[in-house]
Amino acid sequence: MPEINAAPQTTRLSRDFWIFWAGQGLSNLGSAVTRFILPLLIYNLTGSAVDLSLAAAAGILPYPLFGLLIGAWVDRVDRKRLMIATDGGRALLIGSIPLLAAIDHLPLWWLYLVNFLITILSICFEAAEFAAVPSLVPRSNLIAANGRIQASYSAAAIIGPLLVSPLLLVVSPSTVLLLDLFSYLCSAGALLAIRRSFNVAEAQRTTNGIRHDIIEGLRYVFGHPVLRAISLMMLLINFIGVSQFSQLVYFAKTNLQATDAQVSLFYSVGQVGAVLLPLAAGRIRQRWSFGRVALGILMIEGLISIGFAFNRSLFLGIGLWALILGMGLLFNINTGSLRQAIAPNEMLGRVMSVAMVMANSISPIGAILGGIAIERTGNVTLVYALIGALISLVAFIFSFTAIGDAERYLPQDQERVANNPA
């Protein structure tokens, strides 16, 4: 593992970082619209929890199918060009939905297929994006930079559904998706304006085959106690918790008696917690250890999820959902920043792809089982409460693994970087 020199502490971030931040913020604004509109389209067409779970499974399945291959490939290509190309591809796919709706030929299976194909392109983009951030900021600023990125994404997730509510009064839900098409074009334009490369020097690039690179990435992650434990824990957490997100429209419609406009507000205002908590990521890590932050917030998140399940107030539900989202993002920021601090740049794409594959490898099964459980029992409250209890239990169990004392597994120079965020 290469030595990481201590970087000077600075809060200034480069011009290229802010261009990157702005472009991805706009892209996420459009994606927030799509994350709301697609389930709403499916629910309005079918009213079925199972159909919602199938759509969620279609959007997760590419991770175990292609994630490792894509991660190894991302470390071998020009990451910036790849991100621009995937933005273009996603714009075309999203644009097909309002086009087919306009000619009155939008089948349900096409929505599933678009979700599947967009996820493939998003895996490419996310693996490259994960590897790009360390090229834009010094390692001492990773947690602060990732916190700003996540906070801006969450702010866009607030604005996106808010934009949808008045638009739905004058245009169809499928037409609203044109916002996402435009946002992908903005993201591509921002990436074109960035001066620096997102790759290591040409001389450092691997000359081995893809198969070798995949195996190397797997060995690296599973050979490190902290990375291995995080990957295994996220596999279980995502399997258990996927239905919380895929069935959110169903939960709001049935338990909270929400209208379409109120569901959009639920998606939007619930993101406030996902804005505020990531901004505090650096300060929280300065006060408490990684294990205490990561595992503690997961245990609390599970308990709040139980309360969320039994709640019948729309406005209280929005507040509880905001806490759940914020704590989940705070956990992701800490685990992502730790991976970035541990792994060498030339392996970041593979490290991220292994993480994504592990986190989502059995989530499609979890999504389908969750939908079937809700449909068979007719009790979405029971399913959501069980999800919360199991999340807390998994976090407690993994507190006895390397995650509970993650700093002990870092070399001294890396520990200084991880524990001194800007």
Side-chain angles (χ1 to χ4, degrees):
M1 188 177 298
E3 180 181 353
I4 300 176
N5 295 325
Q9 295 296 308
T10 176
T11 58
R12 292 193 62 184
L13 297 170
S14 68
R15 166 193 174 274
D16 286 339
F17 170 80
W18 289 115
I19 293 174
F20 179 87
W21 176 81
Q24 298 321 303
L26 286 172
S27 178
N28 196 67
L29 178 66
S31 297
V33 171
T34 297
R35 282 194 298 271
F36 163 61
I37 289 294
L38 279 183
L40 185 63
L41 281 172
I42 292 168
Y43 182 86
N44 288 343
L45 284 171
T46 68
S48 167
V50 172
D51 285 321
L52 284 170
S53 70
L54 290 174
I60 300 170
L61 192 59
Y63 286 97
L65 290 181
F66 308 116
L68 293 177
L69 178 64
I70 290 172
W73 180 57
V74 165
D75 282 335
R76 302 166 67 92
V77 301
D78 187 308
R79 292 167 179 161
K80 189 194 301 182
R81 290 182 180 176
L82 173 64
M83 293 167 75
I84 293 168
T86 55
D87 274 336
R90 290 185 291 182
L92 290 173
L93 287 168
I94 285 294
S96 71
I97 296 176
L99 177 61
L100 290 173
I103 60 175
D104 199 24
H105 189 70
L106 180 61
L108 185 63
W109 65 264
W110 180 252
L111 296 177
Y112 295 160
L113 181 60
V114 166
N115 211 17
F116 180 82
L117 294 176
I118 282 182
T119 300
I120 294 176
L121 295 177
S122 295
I123 295 172
C124 296
F125 190 95
E126 289 164 9
E129 179 184 31
F130 180 80
V133 175
S135 300
L136 297 168
V137 300
R139 292 205 175 198
S140 59
N141 277 353
L142 278 175
I143 289 180
N146 286 329
R148 286 172 172 82
I149 290 170
Q150 289 293 341
S152 69
Y153 285 2
S154 300
I158 292 174
I159 299 169
L162 283 177
L163 289 175
V164 169
S165 292
L167 286 175
L168 287 175
L169 299 176
V170 293
V171 298
S172 66
S174 57
T175 303
V176 173
L177 291 176
L178 292 174
L179 290 174
D180 198 13
L181 184 155
F182 177 72
S183 76
Y184 282 130
L185 298 181
C186 290
S187 171
L191 292 169
L192 285 168
I194 293 175
R195 299 168 182 170
R196 71 185 72 187
S197 171
F198 294 164
N199 294 71
V200 295
E202 293 290 336
Q204 294 177 285
R205 291 192 188 179
T206 178
T207 57
N208 300 306
I210 290 282
R211 181 174 176 273
H212 175 276
D213 288 353
I214 292 173
I215 293 173
E216 186 178 31
L218 287 167
R219 285 177 176 169
Y220 186 85
V221 171
F222 285 99
H224 194 288
V226 175
L227 298 182
R228 179 175 64 244
I230 290 173
S231 295
L232 292 173
M233 183 174 69
M234 291 312 301
L235 179 147
L236 293 175
I237 292 293
N238 283 3
F239 171 76
I240 294 165
V242 63
S243 294
Q244 239 184 347
F245 298 89
S246 64
Q247 300 295 333
L248 187 59
V249 169
Y250 188 95
F251 181 90
K253 288 277 191 177
T254 56
N255 275 26
L256 304 178
Q257 304 300 311
T259 64
D260 285 357
Q262 287 172 334
V263 171
S264 72
L265 291 174
F266 192 93
Y267 269 72
S268 175
V269 183
Q271 292 286 336
V272 171
V275 173
L276 298 180
L277 283 180
L279 288 175
R283 292 178 181 271
I284 291 172
R285 281 288 291 117
Q286 284 178 324
R287 297 192 62 179
W288 292 290
S289 69
F290 167 80
R292 193 172 289 182
V293 171
L295 297 170
I297 60 177
L298 275 185
M299 291 182 197
I300 296 171
E301 178 189 337
L303 296 176
I304 294 174
S305 295
I306 296 174
F308 178 75
F310 289 98
N311 169 65
R312 292 298 179 272
S313 165
L314 178 68
F315 296 104
L316 179 57
I318 289 172
L320 293 174
W321 186 246
L323 288 175
I324 291 169
L325 291 180
M327 290 180 176
L329 277 177
L330 188 58
F331 176 82
N332 289 338
I333 288 168
N334 277 273
T335 55
S337 298
L338 190 64
R339 290 186 183 107
Q340 288 169 330
I342 290 173
N345 186 278
E346 66 272 11
M347 289 191 66
L348 282 173
R350 280 167 285 176
V351 169
M352 181 57 176
S353 69
V354 172
M356 289 191 297
V357 169
M358 285 294 296
N360 295 285
S361 57
I362 58 176
S363 292
I365 299 173
I368 293 172
L369 290 177
I372 293 173
I374 292 171
E375 200 102 314
R376 292 285 178 87
T377 64
N379 193 339
V380 67
T381 298
L382 175 63
V383 174
Y384 267 54
L386 182 60
I387 287 171
L390 290 175
I391 287 174
S392 289
L393 178 62
V394 169
F396 174 75
I397 292 172
F398 273 84
S399 67
F400 299 100
T401 69
I403 302 175
D405 193 18
E407 284 78 8
R408 185 167 68 86
Y409 293 87
L410 292 173
Q412 185 176 1
D413 57 343
Q414 289 181 322
E415 184 175 355
R416 182 168 57 252
V417 170
N419 288 326
N420 290 280

